[in-house]
Amino acid sequence: MAAIIQGIGAATALTSANSLDTKKSFFSNPRRSFSVGAERKGRTFVVRSNGRLSYGLNGRGGRAEQLITNAVAAKEDTAAASTSSKPGHELLLFEALREGLEEEMDRDPAVCVMGEDVGHYGGSYKVTKGLAPKYGDLRVLDTPIAENSFTGMGIGAAMTGLRPVIEGMNMGFLLLAFNQISNNCGMLHYTSGGQFKIPVVIRGPGGVGRQLGAEHSQRLESYFQSIPGIQMVACSTPYNAKGLMKAAIRSDNPVILFEHVLLYNLKERIPDKEYVLNLEEAEMVRPGEHVTILTYSRMRYHVMQAAKTLVNKGYDPEVIDIRSLKPFDLHTIGNSVKKTHRVLIVEECMRTGGIGASLTAAITENFHDYLDSPIICLSSQDVPTPYAGTLENWTVVQPAQIVTAVEQLCQ
């Protein structure tokens, strides 16, 4: 524990020849943080994708209140005003995942779901709620608590022509199935000489939640990125959650879909018309001229909150949600680097061997001549995530640190 506290006392991890002045990087008032979708003293909170907090008392709707530092970042008020007039329908992120999954199960009878409590309970975060009565116990299969067994079963089912969607109740539990994911899922297409395809989707919640403890706060992107034959994507909005889910199911490659535990109650209006996203394409969240900020998953909202402060200070950051963690969309990233000549990477993954480290290497190898300053990478600290809420916040990148990093890059 002493080692943890000592590590937490340091500044957030930086990967740069020029270290930041961490005295300016402290975030404000972590005691005010709240859980997304939590219930407190009879009030129900829902975070909308426009960055505002709606809450009601005893089921009655209430006024909207601006979010605080550790929550989802706010966007322009005009976007909130125009949301209700846009075509489409509003969904929470977990509902968007379910809608994408249900549409694919309707379209293709080979699509099936398996995992712990995915059936009649509806999944630990209700992504599969209502699917078991509709499709039956064979297509929505409740499994024992045996990740290695049902992951291996899903991979075998994919070899025979099915398209299984395997849910890990928590991404940390899938470490028990690492052998099946690595030696079977990623390699069988190659080792069989192309005789077998493995069209399997492995998905589930991960990331630092609200006091879930070290074992339930895992970021496994860094674990799986080195496995040959695996694609990895991370959703961050209801719109891309549905589009990536549908694309992953239709892919003939094994895909790991990372979902963040704090984003399930994010609400957004998505199109009524069917759409499928590209698994290998990044999203331009905010065009800019001064610096390229690359991020994904929950950190997208920390970056967008920092962007508001940066704009007020006269900076014009370009924000890209990379979405595809493997392979990287170097076309979109490269065009941005050629324009801004400065790169900041913000991730919730660990500093050592994380996505940021791989992204730094890829940019350096391909676009070194376009850089006017060293790449800075803000990552979570290399310590087990503490249970105490205040200490937990110290281990994760906060908006104030992003602002400090951009100011140094643009000096």
Side-chain angles (χ1 to χ4, degrees), residues 114-234:
M114 58 185 68
E116 299 154 353
D117 287 335
V118 299
H120 296 280
Y121 184 71
S124 55
Y125 290 89
K126 302 305 177 185
V127 173
T128 57
K129 182 179 179 181
L131 299 186
K134 180 177 180 179
Y135 299 105
D137 293 340
L138 290 180
R139 291 189 69 189
V140 186
L141 181 62
D142 275 322
T143 66
I145 305 175
E147 283 78 9
N148 57 344
S149 298
F150 67 74
T151 303
M153 179 174 65
I155 294 168
M159 294 172 66
T160 66
L162 297 180
R163 291 184 175 272
V165 178
I166 301 170
E167 176 179 314
M169 182 179 287
N170 181 281
M171 276 301 203
F173 302 161
L174 290 179
L175 290 176
L176 295 168
F178 194 86
N179 175 64
Q180 284 74 16
I181 296 172
S182 176
N183 286 328
N184 302 144
C185 188
M187 299 186 186
L188 273 171
H189 181 66
Y190 174 78
T191 56
S192 69
Q195 296 180 74
F196 294 111
K197 295 178 181 178
I198 316 295
V200 64
V201 179
I202 299 172
R203 53 154 298 269
V208 178
R210 289 283 184 262
Q211 296 183 264
L212 298 180
E215 293 182 0
H216 290 71
S217 302
Q218 295 273 33
R219 286 80 85 198
L220 297 189
E221 305 96 291
S222 59
Y223 287 69
F224 294 128
Q225 67 173 329
S226 61
I227 300 175
I230 294 283
Q231 283 188 269
M232 303 195 311
V233 292

Side-chain angles (χ1 to χ4, degrees), residues 229-290:
I230 294 283
Q231 283 188 269
M232 303 195 311
V233 292
C235 61
S236 55
T237 68
Y239 176 81
N240 66 38
K242 178 181 176 180
L244 292 174
M245 170 71 87
K246 291 172 69 71
I249 292 173
R250 296 186 187 190
S251 175
D252 285 336
N253 297 316
V255 179
I256 302 179
L257 173 59
F258 292 94
E259 305 154 15
H260 199 287
V261 67
L262 288 184
L263 298 184
Y264 279 127
N265 280 355
L266 189 69
K267 180 175 283 190
E268 183 181 29
R269 186 171 294 273
I270 67 174
D272 292 326
K273 186 177 180 181
E274 182 183 36
Y275 65 93
V276 180
L277 297 181
N278 190 331
L279 288 175
E280 301 178 10
E281 189 174 83
E283 177 187 352
M284 179 66 68
V285 181
R286 183 192 189 278
E289 298 290 337
H290 292 161

